[in-house]
Amino acid sequence: MEVEEGISMERQDHLQYIEINPEKRFGKPCIKGTRITVTDILEMMAEGMSQNEILENHPNLGAEHIKAALLYAASTVKGAA
């Protein structure tokens, strides 16, 4: 995975980019200000899209949003283990 250099994010900082709204995407965690879910980003990456490809296809996202989605997913899985 390519992560843009210079983006340093503490474990809890990612939460500023994530919102859970029961009226948006059935309450799934989304990138704030979008309808793009954390799962959407994970699925794009699992399908082989690079960070740059995701950013090109979704100009409303920044590298910090992708990193926030990954950190959110990691913390969710870690908490479930």
Side-chain angles (χ1 to χ4, degrees), residues 59-71:
N60 54 334
L61 293 180
E64 68 277 9
H65 298 119
I66 293 174
K67 185 165 186 178
L70 294 172
L71 286 169

Side-chain angles (χ1 to χ4, degrees), residues 6 11 15 22 25 36 45 51 55 63 67 71-72 75-76:
R11 286 277 176 204
L15 296 177
R25 299 289 304 264
I36 299 171
M45 297 190 93
Q51 175 176 302
L55 296 175
K67 185 165 186 178
L71 286 169
Y72 182 86
S75 66
T76 301

Side-chain angles (χ1 to χ4, degrees), residues 37-81:
T37 66
V38 168
T39 302
D40 292 336
I41 292 173
L42 295 175
E43 288 176 347
M44 286 185 264
M45 297 190 93
E47 291 170 4
M49 290 181 76
S50 69
Q51 175 176 302
N52 288 336
E53 289 172 319
I54 294 170
L55 296 175
E56 287 172 11
N57 287 315
H58 300 279
N60 54 334
L61 293 180
E64 68 277 9
H65 298 119
I66 293 174
K67 185 165 186 178
L70 294 172
L71 286 169
Y72 182 86
S75 66
T76 301
V77 171
K78 186 176 182 178

